[in-house]
Structures are given as structure tokens and as C-alpha cells.
Amino acid sequence: IAKEVAKLLEMKAQLGGDEGKHKFVLKTPKGTRDYSPKQMAIRERVFNAIITCFKRHGAEVIDTPVFELKETLTGKYGEDSKLIYDLKDQGGELLSLRYDLTVPFARYLAMNKITNIKRYHIAKVYRRDNPAMTRGRYREFYQCDFDIAGQFDPMIPDAECLKIVHEILSDLQLGDFLIKVNDRRILDGMFAVCSVPDSKFRTICSSVDKLDKMPWEEVRSEMVGEKGLSPEAADCIAEYVQLHGGLDLIERLLQDPKLSQNKLAKEGLGDMKLLFEYLTLFGITGKISFDLSLARGLDYYTGVIFEAVLLQQENDHVEESVSVGSGAGGGRYDGLVGMFDPKGRKVPCVGVSIGIERIFSILEQRVEASEEKIRTTETQVLVASAQKKLLEERLKLISELWDAGIKAEVLYKKNPKLLNQLQYCEETGIPLVAIVGEQELKDGVVKLRVVATREEVNVRRENLVEEIRMRTSQP
Amino acid sequence: IAKEVAKLLEMKAQLGGDEGKHKFVLKTPKGTRDYSPKQMAIRERVFNAIITCFKRHGAEVIDTPVFELKETLTGKYGEDSKLIYDLKDQGGELLSLRYDLTVPFARYLAMNKITNIKRYHIAKVYRRDNPAMTRGRYREFYQCDFDIAGQFDPMIPDAECLKIVHEILSDLQLGDFLIKVNDRRILDGMFAVCSVPDSKFRTICSSVDKLDKMPWEEVRSEMVGEKGLSPEAADCIAEYVQLHGGLDLIERLLQDPKLSQNKLAKEGLGDMKLLFEYLTLFGITGKISFDLSLARGLDYYTGVIFEAVLLQQENDHVEESVSVGSGAGGGRYDGLVGMFDPKGRKVPCVGVSIGIERIFSILEQRVEASEEKIRTTETQVLVASAQKKLLEERLKLISELWDAGIKAEVLYKKNPKLLNQLQYCEETGIPLVAIVGEQELKDGVVKLRVVATREEVNVRRENLVEEIRMRTSQP
């Protein structure tokens, strides 16, 4: 009996083994996705708009590795550090995937002793967060960062960052938006005058940051319950964080009996006033709101902070609408580079990060709703034949076209039917067909067919390239 | 005494702790690098040439995540699997960084049930190899892949892949090159007729693959010593792997008394002949060599394989020359997609991967040697002032220019000296300066200065945008 059982168990194990072979999961990792050619077409449109803007403002471009030494990322992100992806220790250095592009940028500046640069960087970053993919929240996602590093006169680079957010969100026609602005010094001043203990500044700041997702009562109970803040301090904070406005509010707070006594808050308010003056010159204050509830989660900000909120449009159909949120954010971080410099030398920085994934979600949905046909190739002409045995002639002709820089395709069939070749053009949006046949070859011409109108003309072979160029040139 | 020792130890620990705080290593992970703005300018040139070629051949573009489920990569790379980067198990799925773009592509096809696509994909891949950075061998590096998937008539897509390699290496003017071609079926046929046991085909193939880096004697001793091949089989292989040539060699081998008896080899040689016919139509056989020593390391190839070798130019100075090697490679892999399909349905594929890093190394060195000045921004005009207290006027003007789509910069200083502003233009290659002053403001003009010639003209403010566009338009 024991022998029989052993035999059966062995057989079962074999079956299990075979089963296992074919039972893999066919998916991308949690919180990630592939981009199809159609999605890529939309993505490239968005990138083009953003890169054009960054270049318009004179930025250079850099790139850094997708992973950094683990210690490079340590101590930079506060409570968010738990979301960092670590690599397995396979011998050698301990590595982590980058969490944003700002810390690698600061590391780059310190490592190369750069004290002055205006650069952009577009790349993927990684966060082990709870994904909400329909709302554009992924674990692997793009950031498009523009930063200005260097010792300059106050608020000029900061104002340019806000101008950039304004330009990009306007260019992309994402509907109405609002850019909330605050300053870490005003927040810290507020915490101080509300008697928040120094040691609790950063953690209470993290709580304030949740105000865009939670009602005040929940945030308050986190402050008082979990983080041990006194109810009086919380109530004092409540007074301030409901305030938002423009220059008028800044003036009022500069007169505020408590805040105006605090050195940090006064500095922050003074600079906020200057910032609003520059934004007025740029003509963009209509979409800017000084908002004391804006805190931003990350530890490294030291001055101005901002975040752009995409507003739902009234005339959107409910079933089409996506839940929208922050489309861009950033701020000043004057201490980060110094954390990497062996001598602690500081390089003041201010920058903005465009949150591409939310923007994609919106544009993708819009394209789908509009039934707009997006071409995923740029092919100008299909090289075809109506008769059999002309593969060699098709290959000879397409080779000539490629060498002349024409974007051309051919079906990979020895003897394709003309109908199939024309259908391929219809499906993929190829505007022209160059048809070779016995007669055309004899006459030294190619029959050029316009797919949309079915018009056909014979073009002398030596004029074909020029003719295709002319007929497919973008106006 | 014990107390004193404890105290001292504690002090020492504290010192150690403090020391540790400041003693971090400021570097990128082993085998990786940052790209400076100058390097990025070269990188974008190369990408442009490659993308232009891929689009000329009608390719769509896709993207996939930087990591895959670990099991997706398992069993695809043979002996190279040990070079895969794994992520740390932080709960949830087991993940690995992609090792190439081919396996993710196959996973994408199977997952989306795509049986027919021509796509390119440009992205970074990761290999825990021994880096040799001066020779362009990195642990994080770009691959530029073009693949054709689908059931087509033989060798037409394969020939197009070789045409693409030829076009790209010619366009980039990297000097002379040679594209070696072989076929896994010919190799397997050769192994069979040399009496290599079936079970040793793949591992002996890996040894043959090392022939471009090692002399035959070393490869032979690996085959016989490490891998237990009979000396007779090794000597038989030696006969074949020294052969290379064109159509003539193919014809000769089709008559080879041993090879012609092997079904696989015969198939491979027949297709190789067809391939050479198509390559003749494309006019590129001059740089193609049918080479029986070409094996390619990866497990998944099933048919044609190829590799482009960049040849050192004679007239290069030795001290400037970089050790060059493979610039592109690829082949046919008809079984890979089937490994991911639950029912094992196959999708035949052939593709090419351009090895960008070696190409960068060569171009970077060439730029350095030529002292060519590379601009890293596209700024058309600097908005400047000669007098003090004109920051507001500069900001107003630059805002107008940005809104009109002009690439413009301004120094972030309240009162910069004109000399410093002009110097900034010289350093960064900005061709124009728009100067505002009291008098110009009164007259409704802006003084436009051409940096190169020092020529200055007054331009009416309403004509400024048009004037800048005209003077900076690329011919």
C-alpha cells in the first residue's frame, strides 16, 4: 500500500508540475500598464506640449539612472519613505528605484558641484502606493520636472515656475484650473503662533496636506488623537487653513496681530507679496489662489509651495467625467543639495513637476468620447501591385523610396490582392498607394492612387519622390 | 574602570554615528551614469536618426513597465539569466527589472492577443554584468528595438530588419561596418552533423557566441573541458565556424555532403539564399557577411540571426580610438510569444535592437576631439536692460514673448550689468538680445542686438516677435 501511495503521489506531483508550467499569470505588475500605439500617440502629444514649454523657458535637459544608492534617498521624503521600491540585495550596493526626480537632481548638482542650472527631466518614478488606475494613480508614472538652481534675487525663478504651469495647463486645454500657492515659512509661522511644538511641525504639516482629500474634522482628529496635538492648537490652525485669496489676503495677514510677530511668517508673507507682483506682470493672477491649507507632503520644501488643481467642467457629462485632482505641483527646496554636499554647501532651488498621468487619463477619455481617429504611424505611401509575381519590383521601388527619405510600407506577401492592399491603407490611414504593374514598368511610370478620392495618376518614376512629398506635405 | 570603559565606548559610538552621517558616498550606482546636457544633446541626435528610420518603415510605438513579474522573465535568457536584477520582496508580487525589450514585447502580444504588428520601443534595460563604461558597456543602457510580428511570406520582414540596420549605421556616419548574418537552423544542423548531443545544442551555441571575444582554442577548451563535448565534435565545428562569405558560400554549403543531408540546415540555407536575393534588391549585400561563427547568446532565437560590427577606421589616431564592437543585433524568434499564450499559439517575430551606448561613446569622443560647440538650449533671445530698475519691464516683455511662442530667457537679477547679460549670451549661444531702456520704452521700441555681429537695430514693439522669428528661423 505504501508503495502504491508513493507512486500516486509522484504521479500527482508530475501532473502538478505540468499544470504549473502553463498556469503563469499574464499581466503587468500591480499599478503599472503598457502603452498601446494609440496611447503613445496621445502621450507624445502631451510630452511635446510640455517639452516645447520647457525649451521656451531656456531649459537644458539631463537624465539620471532609474535607481539610486538606497542611502541617497534615505531621509528625504518623511512619512512617504515607506513607499520606496528597494532592489534585492544580490551582492554589491544596496539600491532603490527613484521616488521622484528632485532628489536625483540634487544629488547630481552636489556630485558635479553645479551651482547654477535650469534644467528639465522627463522620466518615470516609482511609488509603492495604493494604485487607483482609473483616476490616473499608478505605481510607475512619469514626472516632467523643470527646476531652477542658483542664488538669485527673490521670487523671480519662483514666478517663472508658476508661469510655466499656467502655460502648460492652458496649452493642453484641460479645462479650468486653479493654482494654489503657499509658503512653508508661513505654515511654520502659523504652527509657531498656534503653539505647535517645534518637533511636531513636519508631522502636523503632513496632516494639513491631507485637507484636499479629507474634511477638517478627520484631519483634526488625526492631529489631536494620533499625533498628540493640543485641541487649542488644532483650533488655532483651523482658523488659518480656511483662508484663501489674493494680494488682499496677504496684506491682511501682514497686519495679523499674531502672524506679523513671527519672523518666518513675515518673511514668507513679504515674499508672497513680491511673487504676486511678478505674477501680475505675467498676467496670470486670475488663476492663482494664495491658500493657507496647501501644505505638500514632502519634507524638503523650504519656501514657496504650489499645486495646480484641475477643475471639473460643468458641461461635462457625468458618465464621461474622470475624477480629477492635482495636475502639477512644486516649490522651493533650498536645503536639499546641501544634504549631499560634503561641506553642506547649499544651492537654492525651485521647481515644478507636471503630473502627466492624470492629464493622460483626461485626454484619453476625451479622444474616446470624440471618436477622433488617431493615426499611429506616419507612412506616406504603400508600395503595391495589382498583378502577381511583382514582389521583387515592389521591393526595388520601396528601397528607392526609403533611401530618398519617404515613409513607405509594403505588405509582406509574395502576391497580395490589390483589395487587401487598399484596405490596409484605409485601416491605417496611409494616404497614397504607389502601384507597379507590367505596363507601368514598361512605360517607366508608377501609378499613384489617392486613397481618399480614388483618383489615379501615372507619375514618371524619376518624379515619384517629389510627387509623394508634395502630396503629403503638411501645410 | 568598567564604568569608564563603557563611557568611552559610548563616546566612540557617538563619534562613529556622527561621522557616518556625513560620510555618504556621492555617486551613481555601479555601471550607471548621469547624462549631462551636452551628452543629452548627442543622445537626442542619435535617437532622432533612429526614430526617423523606424517611422520611415511604418512602425508604431509602444511602451511597457520597467519591471515585469519575475516569472515573465524566467526561462527566456539561458545562461544570461543570472544577470537579471530582482526587486526586494516587500510584500506582493515578485518583480525583476527588464533584461531586454523583446520578452516584454512577446508578453504584450500574448496578453493582448495581437498577431500582427510592426512596432518600435526605445527604453532602458538592466543587466548585472561587469561594466566597462569607457567601452560603452553599462548596467543600465538603452535599447532601440524594431520588431515585425505576424505570419508572412519568408524572409521579407527579415530583409527589412537588415535594411534598417544598414540605414541607421549609414545615417549616423559611424565609419565602416559589417553586418554578420547566420541562422539558428544552420547552426543546429551543423551541431547535428558534428554529432553534438541534442541536449548540448544551446550550451555549445553559447560557447560559439564567444568567438568574437575569444580565440578558437579557448572556446574549444570550454566546449571539451567544461561542457564535456567530444574532441571530434569540436574539431568538426571548427571546420564550419571559420567559414564566411556571400551567395557563393550559401551555394557551396547547399552542396555540402553532410549539411545538405540535414533537414534543418537545408531549410536555413534555402532561406538564407532567399534573404540574399532580397538584400541584393535593397542594394546592401556589400556590407553583409554570411558568417557561420555568429551564434548570439540568447535562447529564444529560432531562425535568422544577425549582428552589426563597427570597424575601426584606419586613419583614426590610436589615442582617440574607442574599442568598438557590436552596434546592432537581432534575429527571428518564432516561439517566444507562444511561451506566454495559455494555448501555446505562436506568433512569428523578427526584430532588431540598436546598441545605442557604443554609438554614443563613439560620437561623444568625436565631438570632444572636434571641439565642436554644442548648444544645449534653443533660446532665441535674452531680454535684457542696460539701466537699473527695469526688472518689471523685462518681465512684462518676456511674458509677451513667451505667450507668442518665442524661446526667451531673462537673468534672475533685479539689476544685472549689461556686460553680464551679453556674456551669458556668448556662453550659451543665444543669438539675439532684446534690450529695454527708458528711451526705448518712451519710443515704443525695443533695441534688438545681434550677438555675433554686435549690430543693433530698433524694432517697434508690435513687430518684435516677427523680427525675432525671421532672424532665428532655421533655413
Side-chain angles (χ1 to χ4, degrees):
Chain A
I1 292 172
K3 243 187 186 171
E4 282 297 304
V5 169
K7 228 187 221 168
L8 283 169
L9 279 174
E10 200 188 335
M11 281 171 68
K12 198 184 157 191
Q14 273 175 0
L15 279 170
D18 271 354
E19 234 176 60
K21 227 186 229 171
H22 295 278
K23 230 173 81 185
F24 48 74
V25 193
L26 202 55
K27 68 186 283 292
T28 62
K30 185 177 176 189
T32 69
R33 61 162 165 179
D34 297 316
Y35 284 84
S36 71
K38 239 181 211 154
Q39 291 167 320
M40 285 299 281
I42 299 170
R43 183 171 119 178
E44 307 233 305
R45 268 191 215 173
V46 177
F47 280 162
N48 273 342
I50 291 171
I51 292 171
T52 301
C53 176
F54 289 165
K55 285 187 174 172
R56 192 158 60 230
H57 288 263
E60 304 181 290
V61 58
I62 69 160
D63 195 17
T64 65
V66 83
F67 42 61
E68 294 277 345
L69 298 184
K70 187 175 163 57
E71 60 180 336
T72 298
L73 306 190
T74 303
K76 310 297 188 304
Y77 299 108
E79 293 177 11
D80 289 349
S81 293
K82 61 181 184 298
L83 304 179
I84 294 175
Y85 277 99
D86 291 328
L87 269 75
K88 191 169 154 183
D89 183 359
Q90 293 170 291
E93 301 161 332
L94 290 179
L95 307 174
S96 300
L97 297 186
R98 61 184 163 210
Y99 182 85
D100 64 8
L101 302 177
T102 310
V103 168
F105 175 55
R107 192 264 307 146
Y108 174 80
L109 295 188
M111 198 173 123
N112 296 287
K113 297 191 173 51
I114 296 167
T115 56
N116 202 322
I117 192 173
K118 179 161 58 183
R119 81 87 182 82
Y120 71 91
H121 188 187
I122 295 183
K124 288 173 175 174
V125 301
Y126 299 86
R127 300 185 183 180
R128 295 180 60 250
D129 213 338
N130 269 334
M133 321 234 298
T134 48
R135 270 176 290 153
R137 206 164 76 215
Y138 292 87
R139 288 182 159 197
E140 175 188 58
F141 59 98
Y142 268 99
Q143 285 198 334
C144 306
D145 280 23
F146 172 100
D147 294 80
I148 300 170
Q151 186 69 58
F152 302 116
D153 281 327
M155 307 318 280
I156 315 177
D158 313 59
E160 185 169 7
C161 287
L162 290 167
K163 175 83 169 94
I164 283 174
V165 175
H166 193 278
E167 284 178 19
I168 289 173
L169 295 183
S170 305
D171 276 4
L172 289 171
Q173 300 178 294
L174 296 165
D176 206 10
F177 61 88
L178 186 70
I179 308 174
K180 296 180 186 177
V181 187
N182 198 1
D183 193 299
R184 273 284 168 90
R185 291 167 297 174
I186 300 175
L187 278 168
D188 284 353
M190 174 183 94
F191 294 144
V193 303
C194 287
S195 308
V196 176
D198 279 16
S199 61
K200 289 198 162 56
F201 272 25
R202 286 283 73 78
T203 185
I204 292 303
C205 191
S206 285
S207 297
V208 171
D209 182 50
K210 295 173 183 164
L211 274 173
D212 55 342
K213 289 166 214 142
M214 287 185 195
W216 165 252
E217 277 316 313
E218 275 180 53
V219 171
R220 186 184 191 278
S221 83
E222 180 182 300
M223 287 176 175
V224 177
E226 286 174 41
K227 299 186 172 173
L229 191 69
S230 74
E232 297 74 30
D235 294 338
C236 171
I237 292 171
E239 293 275 309
Y240 285 111
V241 294
Q242 60 182 298
L243 301 175
H244 51 91
L247 258 177
D248 51 329
L249 176 60
I250 301 169
E251 297 286 5
R252 233 174 66 210
L253 289 176
L254 275 168
Q255 308 303 324
D256 182 275
K258 286 185 288 178
L259 270 189
S260 63
Q261 297 309 306
N262 180 281
K263 193 172 159 283
L264 269 180
K266 229 175 125 186
E267 253 181 57
L269 286 165
D271 276 349
M272 189 60 69
K273 196 175 156 187
L274 193 57
L275 178 68
F276 266 77
E277 281 167 25
Y278 296 153
L279 299 180
T280 307
L281 294 171
F282 290 159
I284 60 171
T285 44
K287 295 204 185 296
I288 310 269
S289 168
F290 169 44
D291 188 325
L292 278 101
S293 74
L294 179 72
R296 305 272 304 151
L298 300 176
D299 263 16
Y300 50 62
Y301 291 117
T302 56
V304 165
I305 48 177
F306 52 87
E307 202 166 289
V309 187
L310 304 172
L311 303 172
Q312 203 79 28
Q313 274 169 303
E314 280 175 48
N315 54 350
D316 272 1
H317 296 294
V318 179
E319 61 272 24
E320 284 176 17
S321 74
V322 282
S323 185
V324 288
S326 161
R332 177 163 284 283
Y333 49 102
D334 288 348
L336 192 57
V337 178
M339 289 174 77
F340 289 109
D341 188 276
K343 292 184 185 157
R345 279 166 299 204
K346 289 188 175 185
V347 177
C349 295
V350 63
V352 50
S353 184
I354 310 289
I356 273 298
E357 309 296 336
R358 284 211 181 82
I359 295 174
F360 283 154
S361 294
I362 295 170
L363 293 183
E364 244 185 284
Q365 242 187 6
R366 190 182 294 172
V367 165
E368 227 149 279
S370 76
E371 289 172 34
E372 180 194 350
K373 238 194 162 179
I374 294 189
R375 275 199 74 181
T376 54
T377 67
E378 298 174 11
T379 310
Q380 295 165 285
V381 63
L382 183 81
V383 174
S385 59
Q387 298 129 321
K388 291 192 171 186
K389 296 197 179 168
L390 286 169
L391 172 61
E392 302 204 342
E393 292 299 336
R394 282 191 288 137
L395 293 184
K396 226 192 275 179
L397 178 58
I398 199 168
S399 185
E400 283 173 34
L401 295 178
W402 284 333
D403 291 344
I406 298 290
K407 294 172 189 133
E409 287 184 70
V410 66
L411 292 201
Y412 304 123
K413 293 239 157 210
K414 263 184 159 163
N415 298 308
K417 290 182 184 144
L418 186 62
L419 190 68
N420 291 346
Q421 296 175 84
L422 296 177
Q423 245 166 12
Y424 182 78
C425 292
E426 301 269 8
E427 282 162 19
T428 60
I430 300 176
L432 298 173
V433 193
I435 304 172
V436 285
E438 299 291 356
Q439 194 56 47
E440 285 85 1
L441 286 168
K442 260 182 223 152
D443 300 346
V445 299
V446 171
K447 190 180 278 170
L448 198 62
R449 180 184 167 115
V450 181
V451 177
T453 62
R454 299 177 185 190
E455 171 203 354
E456 290 185 347
V457 283
N458 279 338
V459 180
R460 291 212 57 77
R461 188 127 172 178
E462 60 269 28
N463 301 332
L464 183 62
V465 167
E466 198 39 55
E467 186 72 22
I468 294 172
R469 251 184 223 143
M470 208 194 61
R471 285 175 180 266
T472 54
S473 71
Q474 300 296 325
Chain B
I1 291 172
K3 241 185 185 174
E4 284 296 307
V5 169
K7 226 186 219 170
L8 283 169
L9 279 174
E10 198 188 339
M11 279 170 69
K12 197 184 163 192
Q14 274 177 1
L15 279 171
D18 270 354
E19 234 175 60
K21 227 186 230 171
H22 296 280
K23 232 173 78 187
F24 48 75
V25 194
L26 202 55
K27 68 186 283 293
T28 63
K30 186 178 175 189
T32 69
R33 61 163 166 180
D34 298 316
Y35 284 83
S36 71
K38 243 183 208 151
Q39 291 167 319
M40 286 298 283
I42 299 170
R43 185 172 120 178
E44 309 234 304
R45 269 192 215 174
V46 177
F47 280 161
N48 273 341
I50 291 171
I51 292 172
T52 301
C53 175
F54 290 165
K55 286 187 174 173
R56 191 159 60 230
H57 288 263
E60 304 182 290
V61 58
I62 69 159
D63 195 18
T64 65
V66 82
F67 42 61
E68 295 277 346
L69 299 185
K70 187 174 164 57
E71 59 180 337
T72 298
L73 306 191
T74 303
K76 311 298 187 303
Y77 299 108
E79 293 177 11
D80 289 350
S81 293
K82 60 181 185 294
L83 304 180
I84 293 174
Y85 276 98
D86 291 329
L87 269 74
K88 190 168 155 184
D89 183 0
Q90 293 170 291
E93 300 160 332
L94 290 181
L95 306 174
S96 301
L97 297 186
R98 62 183 163 210
Y99 182 85
D100 64 8
L101 303 177
T102 310
V103 169
F105 175 54
R107 192 264 309 145
Y108 174 79
L109 295 188
M111 198 172 124
N112 296 287
K113 298 191 174 46
I114 296 167
T115 56
N116 201 321
I117 191 173
K118 180 161 58 183
R119 78 90 182 80
Y120 71 91
H121 187 187
I122 296 183
K124 288 174 177 174
V125 301
Y126 299 86
R127 301 184 183 182
R128 295 179 59 252
D129 212 339
N130 268 335
M133 320 237 296
T134 48
R135 271 176 289 153
R137 206 162 78 216
Y138 292 87
R139 290 184 155 194
E140 174 189 59
F141 60 98
Y142 268 99
Q143 285 197 334
C144 305
D145 279 24
F146 172 100
D147 293 80
I148 300 171
Q151 187 68 59
F152 302 115
D153 282 325
M155 308 316 279
I156 315 177
D158 312 61
E160 184 168 6
C161 287
L162 290 167
K163 175 84 170 98
I164 283 173
V165 175
H166 194 279
E167 284 179 19
I168 289 173
L169 296 183
S170 305
D171 277 3
L172 289 171
Q173 300 179 293
L174 297 166
D176 205 10
F177 61 88
L178 186 71
I179 309 176
K180 296 180 184 174
V181 187
N182 197 0
D183 193 299
R184 273 284 165 90
R185 291 168 298 173
I186 300 176
L187 278 169
D188 284 353
M190 173 182 94
F191 293 144
V193 304
C194 288
S195 308
V196 177
D198 279 17
S199 62
K200 288 198 164 56
F201 273 22
R202 286 283 75 76
T203 184
I204 294 302
C205 191
S206 285
S207 297
V208 171
D209 183 49
K210 294 174 184 163
L211 275 173
D212 56 341
K213 288 166 213 142
M214 285 185 195
W216 166 252
E217 279 314 315
E218 276 180 51
V219 171
R220 187 184 190 281
S221 82
E222 181 182 299
M223 288 177 175
V224 178
E226 285 175 41
K227 299 185 172 173
L229 191 68
S230 74
E232 297 74 29
D235 293 338
C236 171
I237 293 173
E239 294 276 310
Y240 285 111
V241 294
Q242 58 184 299
L243 302 175
H244 51 90
L247 257 177
D248 51 329
L249 177 62
I250 301 170
E251 298 287 4
R252 233 175 66 210
L253 289 177
L254 274 168
Q255 308 303 325
D256 183 276
K258 288 185 288 180
L259 269 190
S260 63
Q261 298 308 308
N262 181 280
K263 193 173 160 279
L264 269 181
K266 228 176 124 186
E267 253 180 57
L269 286 165
D271 277 349
M272 188 61 70
K273 196 176 157 189
L274 193 57
L275 178 68
F276 266 77
E277 280 166 27
Y278 296 153
L279 299 179
T280 307
L281 294 171
F282 290 160
I284 60 171
T285 44
K287 294 204 185 297
I288 310 269
S289 168
F290 169 44
D291 188 325
L292 277 102
S293 74
L294 180 72
R296 307 271 305 152
L298 300 176
D299 263 14
Y300 50 64
Y301 291 116
T302 56
V304 166
I305 47 177
F306 51 87
E307 202 167 287
V309 186
L310 305 172
L311 304 171
Q312 204 78 30
Q313 274 169 299
E314 281 175 47
N315 54 351
D316 271 4
H317 297 291
V318 179
E319 61 271 26
E320 283 177 17
S321 75
V322 281
S323 185
V324 288
S326 160
R332 177 164 284 284
Y333 49 101
D334 288 349
L336 192 58
V337 178
M339 290 175 77
F340 289 109
D341 188 275
K343 292 182 185 158
R345 276 166 300 205
K346 289 188 175 184
V347 178
C349 295
V350 63
V352 49
S353 184
I354 310 288
I356 274 299
E357 308 296 336
R358 284 209 180 84
I359 296 174
F360 283 153
S361 294
I362 296 169
L363 293 183
E364 243 186 284
Q365 241 188 4
R366 191 181 294 170
V367 166
E368 226 149 279
S370 75
E371 287 173 34
E372 180 194 349
K373 238 196 159 176
I374 293 189
R375 274 199 76 181
T376 54
T377 67
E378 298 175 9
T379 309
Q380 297 164 284
V381 61
L382 182 82
V383 174
S385 58
Q387 299 129 322
K388 290 192 171 187
K389 296 197 180 166
L390 286 169
L391 172 62
E392 302 205 344
E393 292 299 335
R394 282 190 288 137
L395 292 184
K396 227 191 276 181
L397 177 58
I398 199 168
S399 185
E400 283 173 34
L401 295 178
W402 285 332
D403 292 342
I406 299 291
K407 295 171 190 134
E409 287 185 71
V410 65
L411 293 201
Y412 304 124
K413 292 239 156 209
K414 263 185 157 162
N415 298 309
K417 287 179 186 151
L418 186 60
L419 189 67
N420 291 345
Q421 296 174 86
L422 296 178
Q423 245 166 12
Y424 182 78
C425 293
E426 301 269 7
E427 282 160 19
T428 60
I430 301 176
L432 298 173
V433 193
I435 304 171
V436 285
E438 299 292 355
Q439 192 57 47
E440 285 85 2
L441 285 168
K442 257 183 225 151
D443 299 346
V445 299
V446 171
K447 190 181 279 169
L448 198 62
R449 179 183 169 117
V450 181
V451 177
T453 61
R454 299 180 184 187
E455 171 204 356
E456 290 187 347
V457 282
N458 280 338
V459 179
R460 292 214 55 80
R461 186 123 173 181
E462 59 270 27
N463 301 332
L464 183 61
V465 167
E466 199 39 56
E467 186 73 22
I468 293 171
R469 255 187 218 141
M470 208 193 61
R471 285 176 179 266
T472 54
S473 71
Q474 300 295 327

